[in-house]
Amino acid sequence: MKKVLVLEDESSIRSFIVINLRRAGYEVIEAETGEEALEKLEHHRDTRVALLDVMLPGIDGFEVCRRIRAGNARIGIIMLTARTQEMDKVTGLMTGADDYVTKPFSPAELTARVDALMRRSGGSDVSEGEIRQDPFLLNTRNRTLEKDGQRIKLTQVEYAIIKMFMENPGKALSREEILDTVWGRDYFGELKIVDVNIRRLRLKIEDNPTNPTYITTVWGFGYKWGF
């Protein structure tokens, strides 16, 4: 069964999430603190999606996200937050999260977000092989990216964006097109998630992220893979 970790310190909210995910067919691992979540992930290494509350006793959700990402690029991570400030959303994404959900949220919305990440974390590509665009090599069999022979650690969302770019070199891709392809047409969130993930990708692949040459901005429209 597909495993999901739920890290939430409020028992009523955690129970609500757990019940709905189990109804959707997921096996749920529960944790009340960041420390407990990290410990349980060590024992459940096949967990494919983690839902992390931001405000926690002890280490917060952002730090838990950083520690998970340091050792696991493939797991899908969704931040759960009661805050509405833009900086909190951006912080979660920049620490390695794939998505965020602001409380209160509906069971249908949360399940749809988990479903989308689950498909990416366990899915396989239709086309198998390699895409080489020097200095990059994208291996679609093992879902990895190399630059000048050096492996670049990508999340599943980052991999999906890079794959989309490298399959469309020189083509201007709108934010809406990227959102629909990578997150799915039933995604409930905002276009801003595309911009934050592009910023994160630039930090990983560009020689000078403040003056990008590979992922260039098409002002008022979207982005282009600069080949």
Short mmCIF file of all heavy atoms in Angstrom, two decimals, residues 1-49:
data_model
loop_
_atom_site.label_atom_id
_atom_site.label_comp_id
_atom_site.label_asym_id
_atom_site.label_seq_id
_atom_site.Cartn_x
_atom_site.Cartn_y
_atom_site.Cartn_z
N MET A 1 0.85 -1.20 0.00
CA MET A 1 0.00 0.00 0.00
C MET A 1 0.88 1.25 0.00
O MET A 1 1.96 1.25 0.58
CB MET A 1 -0.91 0.00 1.24
CG MET A 1 -1.98 1.10 1.21
SD MET A 1 -3.06 1.04 2.67
CE MET A 1 -3.99 -0.44 2.34
N LYS A 2 0.42 2.32 -0.64
CA LYS A 2 1.19 3.56 -0.74
C LYS A 2 1.18 4.30 0.60
O LYS A 2 0.13 4.56 1.17
CB LYS A 2 0.61 4.43 -1.84
CG LYS A 2 0.68 3.77 -3.22
CD LYS A 2 -0.08 4.56 -4.26
CE LYS A 2 -1.59 4.44 -4.06
NZ LYS A 2 -2.34 5.04 -5.18
N LYS A 3 2.39 4.65 1.07
CA LYS A 3 2.52 5.24 2.40
C LYS A 3 2.63 6.76 2.35
O LYS A 3 3.35 7.32 1.51
CB LYS A 3 3.77 4.68 3.10
CG LYS A 3 3.66 3.25 3.56
CD LYS A 3 4.90 2.83 4.34
CE LYS A 3 4.82 1.37 4.75
NZ LYS A 3 6.03 0.95 5.50
N VAL A 4 1.94 7.39 3.32
CA VAL A 4 1.99 8.84 3.48
C VAL A 4 2.31 9.14 4.95
O VAL A 4 1.69 8.55 5.85
CB VAL A 4 0.65 9.50 3.11
CG1 VAL A 4 0.71 11.01 3.33
CG2 VAL A 4 0.28 9.19 1.67
N LEU A 5 3.26 10.03 5.19
CA LEU A 5 3.55 10.50 6.54
C LEU A 5 2.74 11.77 6.81
O LEU A 5 2.73 12.68 5.97
CB LEU A 5 5.04 10.81 6.70
CG LEU A 5 5.42 11.52 8.01
CD1 LEU A 5 5.42 10.53 9.16
CD2 LEU A 5 6.77 12.21 7.89
N VAL A 6 2.08 11.82 7.96
CA VAL A 6 1.36 13.02 8.37
C VAL A 6 1.98 13.55 9.65
O VAL A 6 1.90 12.90 10.70
CB VAL A 6 -0.14 12.74 8.58
CG1 VAL A 6 -0.85 13.98 9.12
CG2 VAL A 6 -0.80 12.30 7.28
N LEU A 7 2.62 14.71 9.57
CA LEU A 7 3.21 15.37 10.73
C LEU A 7 2.35 16.56 11.10
O LEU A 7 2.32 17.57 10.39
CB LEU A 7 4.64 15.82 10.40
CG LEU A 7 5.31 16.75 11.41
CD1 LEU A 7 5.34 16.14 12.81
CD2 LEU A 7 6.71 17.13 10.95
N GLU A 8 1.62 16.44 12.20
CA GLU A 8 0.71 17.48 12.66
C GLU A 8 0.56 17.35 14.16
O GLU A 8 0.24 16.26 14.66
CB GLU A 8 -0.64 17.34 11.96
CG GLU A 8 -1.78 18.15 12.55
CD GLU A 8 -1.53 19.65 12.49
OE1 GLU A 8 -1.43 20.19 11.38
OE2 GLU A 8 -1.43 20.26 13.59
N ASP A 9 0.82 18.44 14.91
CA ASP A 9 0.81 18.34 16.36
C ASP A 9 -0.59 18.47 16.96
O ASP A 9 -0.81 18.07 18.10
CB ASP A 9 1.75 19.38 17.00
CG ASP A 9 1.30 20.81 16.73
OD1 ASP A 9 0.79 21.07 15.62
OD2 ASP A 9 1.47 21.66 17.63
N GLU A 10 -1.56 19.00 16.23
CA GLU A 10 -2.93 19.10 16.73
C GLU A 10 -3.67 17.80 16.40
O GLU A 10 -3.90 17.49 15.23
CB GLU A 10 -3.65 20.30 16.12
CG GLU A 10 -3.07 21.64 16.57
CD GLU A 10 -3.92 22.80 16.10
OE1 GLU A 10 -5.17 22.67 16.10
OE2 GLU A 10 -3.35 23.84 15.75
N SER A 11 -4.04 17.07 17.43
CA SER A 11 -4.59 15.73 17.24
C SER A 11 -5.89 15.74 16.42
O SER A 11 -6.12 14.83 15.62
CB SER A 11 -4.83 15.05 18.59
OG SER A 11 -5.74 15.81 19.38
N SER A 12 -6.73 16.76 16.60
CA SER A 12 -8.00 16.80 15.86
C SER A 12 -7.76 16.97 14.36
O SER A 12 -8.41 16.31 13.54
CB SER A 12 -8.89 17.93 16.39
OG SER A 12 -8.24 19.18 16.26
N ILE A 13 -6.82 17.84 14.01
CA ILE A 13 -6.50 18.05 12.60
C ILE A 13 -5.83 16.81 12.03
O ILE A 13 -6.13 16.38 10.91
CB ILE A 13 -5.60 19.29 12.43
CG1 ILE A 13 -6.33 20.56 12.89
CG2 ILE A 13 -5.16 19.44 10.97
CD1 ILE A 13 -5.48 21.81 12.85
N ARG A 14 -4.91 16.23 12.81
CA ARG A 14 -4.21 15.03 12.34
C ARG A 14 -5.20 13.89 12.08
O ARG A 14 -5.12 13.21 11.06
CB ARG A 14 -3.15 14.61 13.35
CG ARG A 14 -2.25 13.49 12.83
CD ARG A 14 -1.07 13.21 13.77
NE ARG A 14 -1.49 12.67 15.04
CZ ARG A 14 -1.46 13.35 16.19
NH1 ARG A 14 -1.02 14.60 16.23
NH2 ARG A 14 -1.85 12.78 17.33
N SER A 15 -6.15 13.72 12.99
CA SER A 15 -7.15 12.66 12.82
C SER A 15 -8.00 12.89 11.58
O SER A 15 -8.30 11.94 10.83
CB SER A 15 -8.05 12.58 14.06
OG SER A 15 -7.32 12.23 15.20
N PHE A 16 -8.36 14.14 11.35
CA PHE A 16 -9.15 14.49 10.16
C PHE A 16 -8.38 14.13 8.88
O PHE A 16 -8.94 13.52 7.96
CB PHE A 16 -9.43 16.00 10.19
CG PHE A 16 -9.97 16.57 8.92
CD1 PHE A 16 -11.30 16.38 8.56
CD2 PHE A 16 -9.16 17.30 8.07
CE1 PHE A 16 -11.81 16.92 7.38
CE2 PHE A 16 -9.64 17.85 6.89
CZ PHE A 16 -10.98 17.65 6.54
N ILE A 17 -7.09 14.47 8.84
CA ILE A 17 -6.28 14.17 7.66
C ILE A 17 -6.12 12.66 7.49
O ILE A 17 -6.28 12.12 6.39
CB ILE A 17 -4.89 14.83 7.79
CG1 ILE A 17 -5.03 16.36 7.79
CG2 ILE A 17 -3.97 14.38 6.66
CD1 ILE A 17 -3.75 17.09 8.12
N VAL A 18 -5.81 11.99 8.59
CA VAL A 18 -5.55 10.54 8.54
C VAL A 18 -6.79 9.78 8.07
O VAL A 18 -6.70 8.90 7.20
CB VAL A 18 -5.11 10.03 9.93
CG1 VAL A 18 -5.11 8.50 9.95
CG2 VAL A 18 -3.72 10.56 10.27
N ILE A 19 -7.95 10.11 8.61
CA ILE A 19 -9.19 9.43 8.22
C ILE A 19 -9.44 9.57 6.72
O ILE A 19 -9.76 8.59 6.03
CB ILE A 19 -10.39 9.99 9.02
CG1 ILE A 19 -10.31 9.54 10.48
CG2 ILE A 19 -11.72 9.55 8.40
CD1 ILE A 19 -11.29 10.24 11.40
N ASN A 20 -9.27 10.78 6.20
CA ASN A 20 -9.56 11.01 4.79
C ASN A 20 -8.54 10.36 3.87
O ASN A 20 -8.89 9.85 2.79
CB ASN A 20 -9.65 12.51 4.51
CG ASN A 20 -10.96 13.10 4.98
OD1 ASN A 20 -11.99 12.94 4.34
ND2 ASN A 20 -10.94 13.76 6.13
N LEU A 21 -7.27 10.31 4.28
CA LEU A 21 -6.27 9.65 3.46
C LEU A 21 -6.48 8.14 3.46
O LEU A 21 -6.30 7.48 2.44
CB LEU A 21 -4.86 10.00 3.95
CG LEU A 21 -4.39 11.43 3.66
CD1 LEU A 21 -3.02 11.66 4.27
CD2 LEU A 21 -4.35 11.70 2.16
N ARG A 22 -6.85 7.59 4.61
CA ARG A 22 -7.13 6.15 4.66
C ARG A 22 -8.34 5.79 3.82
O ARG A 22 -8.36 4.75 3.16
CB ARG A 22 -7.31 5.71 6.12
CG ARG A 22 -5.98 5.64 6.87
CD ARG A 22 -6.14 5.26 8.31
NE ARG A 22 -4.83 5.10 8.95
CZ ARG A 22 -4.62 5.16 10.27
NH1 ARG A 22 -5.64 5.36 11.09
NH2 ARG A 22 -3.40 5.00 10.75
N ARG A 23 -9.35 6.65 3.82
CA ARG A 23 -10.51 6.43 2.96
C ARG A 23 -10.11 6.43 1.48
O ARG A 23 -10.74 5.75 0.66
CB ARG A 23 -11.56 7.51 3.20
CG ARG A 23 -12.35 7.33 4.48
CD ARG A 23 -13.30 8.50 4.70
NE ARG A 23 -14.09 8.34 5.91
CZ ARG A 23 -14.82 9.30 6.46
NH1 ARG A 23 -14.84 10.51 5.89
NH2 ARG A 23 -15.52 9.07 7.55
N ALA A 24 -9.08 7.22 1.16
CA ALA A 24 -8.60 7.29 -0.22
C ALA A 24 -7.66 6.14 -0.58
O ALA A 24 -7.16 6.08 -1.70
CB ALA A 24 -7.89 8.63 -0.46
N GLY A 25 -7.41 5.26 0.40
CA GLY A 25 -6.62 4.06 0.11
C GLY A 25 -5.17 4.12 0.49
O GLY A 25 -4.39 3.24 0.10
N TYR A 26 -4.78 5.13 1.27
CA TYR A 26 -3.37 5.26 1.66
C TYR A 26 -3.10 4.65 3.03
O TYR A 26 -3.96 4.65 3.91
CB TYR A 26 -2.96 6.74 1.70
CG TYR A 26 -2.94 7.39 0.34
CD1 TYR A 26 -3.87 8.35 -0.02
CD2 TYR A 26 -1.98 7.03 -0.60
CE1 TYR A 26 -3.85 8.94 -1.27
CE2 TYR A 26 -1.95 7.61 -1.85
CZ TYR A 26 -2.89 8.56 -2.19
OH TYR A 26 -2.87 9.13 -3.43
N GLU A 27 -1.89 4.13 3.19
CA GLU A 27 -1.40 3.74 4.51
C GLU A 27 -0.76 4.97 5.13
O GLU A 27 0.11 5.60 4.51
CB GLU A 27 -0.37 2.61 4.40
CG GLU A 27 0.21 2.20 5.75
CD GLU A 27 1.24 1.10 5.64
OE1 GLU A 27 1.37 0.50 4.56
OE2 GLU A 27 1.95 0.87 6.64
N VAL A 28 -1.17 5.33 6.33
CA VAL A 28 -0.74 6.59 6.94
C VAL A 28 0.17 6.34 8.14
O VAL A 28 -0.16 5.54 9.03
CB VAL A 28 -1.95 7.45 7.37
CG1 VAL A 28 -1.46 8.79 7.92
CG2 VAL A 28 -2.89 7.67 6.19
N ILE A 29 1.30 7.04 8.15
CA ILE A 29 2.22 7.04 9.29
C ILE A 29 2.03 8.37 10.01
O ILE A 29 2.19 9.43 9.40
CB ILE A 29 3.69 6.89 8.83
CG1 ILE A 29 3.84 5.74 7.82
CG2 ILE A 29 4.60 6.72 10.03
CD1 ILE A 29 3.44 4.40 8.34
N GLU A 30 1.70 8.33 11.30
CA GLU A 30 1.42 9.55 12.05
C GLU A 30 2.60 9.98 12.90
O GLU A 30 3.32 9.14 13.44
CB GLU A 30 0.22 9.35 12.96
CG GLU A 30 -1.07 9.01 12.26
CD GLU A 30 -2.23 8.88 13.23
OE1 GLU A 30 -2.46 9.84 14.01
OE2 GLU A 30 -2.90 7.83 13.24
N ALA A 31 2.77 11.32 13.00
CA ALA A 31 3.80 11.87 13.89
C ALA A 31 3.31 13.19 14.47
O ALA A 31 2.61 13.96 13.79
CB ALA A 31 5.10 12.09 13.13
N GLU A 32 3.67 13.43 15.74
CA GLU A 32 3.22 14.63 16.44
C GLU A 32 4.30 15.70 16.49
O GLU A 32 4.01 16.89 16.62
CB GLU A 32 2.78 14.26 17.86
CG GLU A 32 2.09 15.37 18.62
CD GLU A 32 1.52 14.89 19.95
OE1 GLU A 32 1.59 13.68 20.22
OE2 GLU A 32 1.00 15.74 20.70
N THR A 33 5.57 15.29 16.41
CA THR A 33 6.69 16.23 16.45
C THR A 33 7.61 15.97 15.27
O THR A 33 7.59 14.90 14.67
CB THR A 33 7.50 16.09 17.75
OG1 THR A 33 8.15 14.80 17.75
CG2 THR A 33 6.61 16.22 18.97
N GLY A 34 8.44 16.98 14.98
CA GLY A 34 9.41 16.83 13.90
C GLY A 34 10.38 15.70 14.17
O GLY A 34 10.73 14.92 13.26
N GLU A 35 10.82 15.59 15.41
CA GLU A 35 11.76 14.54 15.77
C GLU A 35 11.15 13.15 15.55
O GLU A 35 11.80 12.24 15.04
CB GLU A 35 12.20 14.70 17.23
CG GLU A 35 13.04 15.95 17.51
CD GLU A 35 12.22 17.22 17.74
OE1 GLU A 35 10.99 17.19 17.54
OE2 GLU A 35 12.82 18.24 18.10
N GLU A 36 9.88 13.01 15.94
CA GLU A 36 9.19 11.73 15.76
C GLU A 36 9.03 11.41 14.27
O GLU A 36 9.19 10.26 13.85
CB GLU A 36 7.82 11.78 16.43
CG GLU A 36 7.05 10.46 16.35
CD GLU A 36 5.65 10.56 16.92
OE1 GLU A 36 5.23 11.68 17.31
OE2 GLU A 36 4.96 9.53 16.96
N ALA A 37 8.73 12.43 13.47
CA ALA A 37 8.56 12.22 12.03
C ALA A 37 9.84 11.71 11.39
O ALA A 37 9.82 10.76 10.59
CB ALA A 37 8.12 13.53 11.37
N LEU A 38 10.97 12.32 11.73
CA LEU A 38 12.25 11.91 11.16
C LEU A 38 12.59 10.48 11.57
O LEU A 38 13.10 9.69 10.77
CB LEU A 38 13.35 12.88 11.58
CG LEU A 38 13.22 14.30 11.00
CD1 LEU A 38 14.22 15.24 11.68
CD2 LEU A 38 13.44 14.29 9.49
N GLU A 39 12.29 10.16 12.83
CA GLU A 39 12.57 8.81 13.32
C GLU A 39 11.70 7.78 12.58
O GLU A 39 12.18 6.71 12.18
CB GLU A 39 12.30 8.73 14.82
CG GLU A 39 12.58 7.37 15.43
CD GLU A 39 12.31 7.33 16.93
OE1 GLU A 39 12.13 8.41 17.53
OE2 GLU A 39 12.26 6.22 17.49
N LYS A 40 10.43 8.10 12.38
CA LYS A 40 9.54 7.15 11.70
C LYS A 40 9.90 6.98 10.23
O LYS A 40 9.74 5.89 9.67
CB LYS A 40 8.09 7.60 11.87
CG LYS A 40 7.57 7.37 13.28
CD LYS A 40 6.07 7.51 13.39
CE LYS A 40 5.60 7.09 14.79
NZ LYS A 40 4.13 7.17 14.95
N LEU A 41 10.38 8.04 9.62
CA LEU A 41 10.81 7.92 8.22
C LEU A 41 12.00 6.98 8.09
O LEU A 41 12.16 6.32 7.06
CB LEU A 41 11.14 9.29 7.64
CG LEU A 41 9.96 10.15 7.20
CD1 LEU A 41 10.43 11.51 6.73
CD2 LEU A 41 9.17 9.46 6.09
N GLU A 42 12.82 6.92 9.11
CA GLU A 42 13.95 5.99 9.09
C GLU A 42 13.46 4.54 9.06
O GLU A 42 14.10 3.67 8.47
CB GLU A 42 14.85 6.21 10.32
CG GLU A 42 15.73 7.43 10.23
CD GLU A 42 16.78 7.29 9.14
OE1 GLU A 42 17.42 6.22 9.06
OE2 GLU A 42 16.94 8.24 8.34
N HIS A 43 12.32 4.29 9.70
CA HIS A 43 11.77 2.94 9.76
C HIS A 43 10.81 2.65 8.61
O HIS A 43 10.43 1.49 8.39
CB HIS A 43 11.04 2.72 11.09
CG HIS A 43 11.95 2.79 12.29
ND1 HIS A 43 12.85 1.79 12.59
CD2 HIS A 43 12.12 3.75 13.24
CE1 HIS A 43 13.52 2.13 13.69
NE2 HIS A 43 13.09 3.30 14.10
N HIS A 44 10.40 3.70 7.90
CA HIS A 44 9.48 3.54 6.77
C HIS A 44 10.07 4.25 5.56
O HIS A 44 9.55 5.27 5.09
CB HIS A 44 8.10 4.13 7.11
CG HIS A 44 7.41 3.46 8.26
ND1 HIS A 44 6.63 2.32 8.10
CD2 HIS A 44 7.40 3.74 9.59
CE1 HIS A 44 6.15 1.94 9.28
NE2 HIS A 44 6.61 2.79 10.20
N ARG A 45 11.15 3.69 5.05
CA ARG A 45 11.88 4.33 3.96
C ARG A 45 11.12 4.29 2.64
O ARG A 45 11.52 4.96 1.67
CB ARG A 45 13.26 3.69 3.80
CG ARG A 45 14.19 3.98 4.98
CD ARG A 45 15.56 3.35 4.79
NE ARG A 45 16.47 3.70 5.87
CZ ARG A 45 17.23 4.77 5.88
NH1 ARG A 45 17.20 5.61 4.84
NH2 ARG A 45 18.03 5.03 6.89
N ASP A 46 10.05 3.49 2.57
CA ASP A 46 9.26 3.43 1.35
C ASP A 46 8.12 4.46 1.35
O ASP A 46 7.26 4.43 0.46
CB ASP A 46 8.69 2.02 1.15
CG ASP A 46 7.87 1.54 2.34
OD1 ASP A 46 8.00 2.12 3.44
OD2 ASP A 46 7.10 0.57 2.17
N THR A 47 8.11 5.37 2.32
CA THR A 47 7.11 6.44 2.34
C THR A 47 7.31 7.33 1.12
O THR A 47 8.42 7.76 0.83
CB THR A 47 7.24 7.29 3.63
OG1 THR A 47 7.06 6.43 4.76
CG2 THR A 47 6.21 8.40 3.66
N ARG A 48 6.23 7.63 0.42
CA ARG A 48 6.35 8.34 -0.85
C ARG A 48 5.90 9.80 -0.78
O ARG A 48 6.28 10.60 -1.64
CB ARG A 48 5.59 7.58 -1.94
CG ARG A 48 6.33 6.32 -2.36
CD ARG A 48 5.49 5.38 -3.19
NE ARG A 48 4.90 6.03 -4.35
CZ ARG A 48 4.05 5.41 -5.17
NH1 ARG A 48 3.70 4.16 -4.94
NH2 ARG A 48 3.55 6.04 -6.21
N VAL A 49 5.08 10.15 0.20
CA VAL A 49 4.64 11.54 0.35
C VAL A 49 4.63 11.88 1.84
O VAL A 49 4.23 11.06 2.67
CB VAL A 49 3.23 11.77 -0.25
CG1 VAL A 49 2.71 13.17 0.10
CG2 VAL A 49 3.24 11.58 -1.76
#
